[in-house]
Amino acid sequence: MLFALAILNAGSIPLASSHVTAEVLSTLAKAPVVLALVGLVLAMVFASSVAATGLVVILAANGTLPLVAALALLLGANVRSTVTALLTALGGGSLVGRRLALIHTGTKLAGAVVVLLVLGPVATLLSSMRLEPGAQVAIAHLGFNLALALIFVPLSALMARLAMALMPNREHEDMTGPRYLDPEALALPAVALGQATREVLRMADLVTEMLRQSIHAFEEKVVAIPTRMDALDDQFDALEAAMKRFLTQIDEDKMTEEQAHREIALLYIITDLEAIGDIIDKQFMRLARRKRRNQIAWSDEGWSDLVTYHAEVTAALEQALAALAAQDATLAAEFLARKRYLSKMKRQFHLRHLHRLHSGVRPSLASSEIHLDLLNAMSRVLSHASNIAHAVHGDR
């Protein structure tokens, strides 16, 4: 960079002595906005605002550029330094990245507009300094950026709120499609597996939320849960398909044996999570619709047993997924011990239901098939959670 600027310095001497150059620049000095745009384009051509700023300093130092023209070009180069980040963020960056890029561009652009409005007085102030023209331009560059920092840093909270208002959170951005999978990482197995793990944990959060909400579908006054479960299951299926495509495209030749085992384990876990989602959407919700359609009521004791078992299964699933998130084999082993206890609990609740049938409890007689099917469906959720715990424990 320094060598290139030295060449530019030597090459600009003939320009400085040209009457045509002096006339053109004298004319352009009367149109600072045009010069600012020229400075922006110049920085884009150089693909570097640093190079463009250095060129402006050199041309001002050897007399090619009047001070006003140099300042206008400098402002354009400063604004250009934000454009690449803005375009990159808008092209595919995260919501936070887009907000930061908007703030960066907005503050630079606002500062440039203000300075352009008072360009004459600024040039007069700089000219009063007993410095070379190039040094004056360099000081202007430094002062411009320091002034922006001093003005806008105290206003950072306000700007953050403004950026959030201009680019609000959108539910569909958070709810649909993979968020962490980058095709560029497929050639780097360690990075790709890390991204896949983050996405699996997101899937785990989704299936946990589905299970938590599912019991409310059997309550009398709640009618929207089955529709919500359908939407969540569709989202889950899309994530599962994207995850399987991503994992099977990782470069196998670059994977270590440990990474290959981890890839297989993730594929197993994805399959079990997808199976849990299907159980909730297709079995739980089918039973809920059937109960509502036939106007079936639970017995008080039967409903209490179902709610208790559902809460225990949900807590157990969360424990298995916590073991997955932490890659904690000890926590996975604790889940497996808990699963044996819950299997006994299910048998006890099953026997309690049979006793109610023998006692002729009418709500139990009417709801028996749905009651037992729901118990079995919850038990299947527990089985798939057990598969996840075994994968974390290293049993497959």
Side-chain angles (χ1 to χ4, degrees):
M1 180 69 72
L2 293 175
F3 179 68
L5 291 175
I7 294 175
L8 284 171
N9 185 33
S12 64
I13 293 175
L15 285 174
S17 60
S18 169
H19 294 293
V20 175
T21 302
E23 187 66 28
V24 169
L25 292 176
S26 176
T27 302
L28 287 176
K30 299 174 183 177
V33 175
V34 175
L35 278 173
L37 293 174
V38 171
L40 190 150
V41 172
L42 187 65
M44 293 179 67
V45 170
F46 279 108
S48 169
S49 59
V50 175
T53 300
L55 176 60
V56 172
V57 171
I58 287 173
L59 294 177
N62 61 28
T64 306
L65 278 177
L67 182 57
V68 171
L71 293 177
L73 288 170
L74 192 67
L75 292 172
N78 267 278
V79 172
R80 185 270 166 202
S81 67
T82 70
V83 172
T84 301
L86 180 64
L87 293 178
T88 300
L90 293 178
S94 66
L95 182 59
V96 173
R98 295 199 296 273
R99 288 170 177 166
L100 287 173
L102 178 65
I103 291 171
H104 188 204
T105 302
T107 53
K108 281 284 182 94
L109 188 58
V113 169
V114 170
V115 175
L116 280 173
L117 293 175
V118 293
L119 196 58
V122 171
T124 301
L125 176 63
L126 289 169
S127 298
S128 67
M129 299 180 181
R130 296 181 179 180
L131 296 171
E132 296 294 327
Q136 293 173 1
V137 174
I139 288 176
H141 177 63
L142 177 63
F144 175 73
N145 287 283
L146 283 177
L148 290 180
L150 291 172
I151 293 170
F152 288 109
V153 167
L155 301 176
S156 56
L158 177 62
M159 290 189 295
R161 289 195 294 271
L162 177 60
M164 291 175 68
L166 294 173
M167 292 184 173
N169 290 318
R170 295 179 180 175
E171 186 175 354
H172 71 272
E173 288 185 352
D174 293 332
M175 294 296 294
T176 60
R179 295 170 57 182
Y180 305 115
L181 305 184
D182 181 4
E184 297 293 330
L186 290 170
L188 302 170
V191 177
L193 289 170
Q195 293 177 351
T197 300
R198 292 183 70 189
E199 204 68 60
V200 166
L201 295 177
R202 183 173 169 233
M203 295 172 70
D205 289 340
L206 182 61
V207 81
T208 302
E209 179 63 19
M210 290 177 68
L211 183 59
R212 281 200 204 101
Q213 296 295 325
S214 62
I215 194 67
H216 298 303
F218 296 90
E219 297 172 355
E220 295 297 329
K221 296 181 180 180
V222 180
V223 297
I225 295 294
T227 302
R228 174 164 171 73
M229 290 299 111
D230 286 342
L232 290 175
D233 189 59
D234 289 343
Q235 177 197 347
F236 200 90
D237 288 343
L239 283 172
E240 184 250 354
M243 281 290 296
K244 285 184 175 177
R245 283 196 305 271
F246 183 81
L247 284 169
T248 54
Q249 290 174 358
I250 297 176
D251 193 337
E252 293 183 0
D253 295 334
K254 295 182 179 179
M255 277 196 287
T256 64
E257 184 176 353
E258 180 185 353
Q259 289 169 342
H261 285 308
R262 187 178 169 194
E263 178 197 28
I264 296 299
L266 285 174
L267 286 168
Y268 272 118
I269 290 167
I270 290 166
T271 300
D272 284 308
L273 288 173
E274 194 270 338
I276 294 172
D278 279 346
I279 290 170
I280 295 168
D281 181 52
K282 295 179 173 59
Q283 296 183 37
F284 281 44
M285 296 305 106
R286 176 179 59 81
L287 294 172
R289 291 186 180 98
R290 182 177 167 189
K291 175 183 178 294
R292 188 176 301 278
R293 183 172 61 251
N294 296 332
Q295 298 183 340
I296 294 172
W298 309 110
S299 68
D300 291 341
E301 187 181 57
W303 175 240
S304 177
D305 287 350
L306 289 172
V307 170
T308 299
Y309 189 57
H310 180 272
E312 291 288 344
V313 170
T314 301
L317 175 64
E318 290 174 344
Q319 184 179 27
L321 296 178
L324 169 65
Q327 287 297 298
D328 189 333
T330 301
L331 192 57
E334 291 175 2
F335 163 85
L336 295 172
R338 183 177 191 170
K339 193 226 175 192
R340 290 189 287 272
Y341 161 74
L342 291 178
S343 296
K344 293 180 181 179
M345 177 184 284
K346 182 206 168 187
R347 287 195 294 271
Q348 291 172 354
F349 285 156
H350 194 153
L351 288 173
R352 284 159 62 93
H353 178 72
L354 294 178
H355 287 315
R356 287 192 296 275
L357 293 181
H358 284 300
S359 300
V361 178
R362 288 188 178 182
S364 294
L365 290 170
S367 65
S368 180
E369 187 175 354
I370 295 176
H371 184 106
L372 294 177
D373 283 350
L374 184 54
L375 269 180
N376 288 331
M378 287 190 276
S379 180
R380 283 192 288 275
V381 168
L382 199 58
S383 295
H384 287 290
S386 178
N387 291 340
I388 294 171
H390 278 297
V392 176
H393 198 257
D395 298 334
R396 65 175 181 181

